[in-house]
Amino acid sequence: MSLHDDAVLVLKAYEGQDELRQVYLDHLATHRDGLWKACADGHITASAMVIDPSRERVLLTLHKKIRKWLQMGGHCEPVDETLARAALREGTEESGIAGLALLPGGPVRLDRHSTPCAWHLDVQYAALAPEGAVEAISEESLDLRWFPYAEVADVADESVVRLLEATRARL
């Protein structure tokens, strides 16, 4: 199965956000390259909100290009067999934490937002960090920091706050 086929199946199975979900499905139906950065009309991306083992904090990255506190995430790559693996790869690369485990149940949320390269149709997952996890700043980040849930709204935008709320509901 191709990543494109996996994305269609994941989105068809996703419950909620029906109108936005249909935008994603329509995009994939009209753009065979709709998962790749080269698709100028926008592309599907994958992200992961990393939760600490105590389930009291989230790890956010101060994105180098966007200069905002965000969850880990980014573009799909040819090595990604599924959207879930793309989210896990991005989470691992940007957090420096090996052994992340996605929460069961598939994506937590969808979020469409404009970026410097194009529209991102982000498929958002949540991942639990293992006990003793130590984060490491990646080249895509200016900073990496654990935030208690109550502080996220003070540093991040509404999309991150909504992702945190959906993640906490899944926990």
Side-chain angles (χ1 to χ4, degrees):
M1 176 184 318
S2 71
L3 180 57
H4 188 279
D5 293 341
D6 174 74
V8 170
L9 289 175
V10 166
L11 290 164
K12 283 183 176 180
Y14 178 76
E15 295 181 5
Q17 296 181 270
D18 294 338
E19 187 175 319
L20 185 58
R21 181 174 64 93
Q22 192 58 53
V23 168
Y24 284 41
L25 288 167
D26 292 346
H27 177 76
L28 289 172
T30 57
H31 298 85
R32 280 304 291 176
D33 64 344
L35 285 144
W36 310 119
K37 186 177 182 178
C39 183
D41 288 339
H43 33 270
I44 304 288
T45 56
S47 66
M49 175 157 277
V50 177
I51 308 294
D52 79 326
S54 69
R55 300 175 185 216
E56 296 175 357
R57 301 177 301 162
V58 295
L59 185 64
L60 299 178
T61 180
L62 183 56
H63 196 278
K64 190 180 279 187
K65 289 182 183 175
I66 300 173
R67 299 195 181 273
K68 289 183 180 182
W69 288 102
L70 303 170
Q71 74 276 11
M72 314 305 140
H75 297 106
C76 295
E77 296 180 4
V79 298
D80 298 323
E81 296 173 3
T82 65
L83 282 178
R85 286 192 183 168
L88 197 55
R89 177 188 50 75
E90 284 287 337
T92 301
E93 287 176 2
E94 292 187 8
S95 72
I97 298 173
L100 294 176
L102 293 181
L103 295 185
V108 175
R109 247 186 91 62
L110 304 177
D111 187 77
R112 181 178 183 261
H113 50 269
S114 181
T115 71
C117 74
W119 280 98
H120 280 187
L121 291 87
D122 197 29
V123 180
Q124 301 177 323
Y125 291 80
L128 199 57
E131 288 291 334
V134 177
E135 68 278 4
I137 296 174
S138 77
E139 62 185 37
E140 296 180 34
S141 179
L142 294 171
D143 198 1
L144 196 60
R145 195 178 309 163
W146 291 101
F147 289 95
Y149 294 158
E151 292 179 15
V152 171
D154 296 334
V155 298
D157 67 19
E158 281 298 311
S159 70
V160 177
V161 172
R162 287 190 299 268
L163 176 56
L164 174 59
E165 290 168 355
T167 297
R168 291 183 72 188
R170 179 75 59 92
L171 291 170

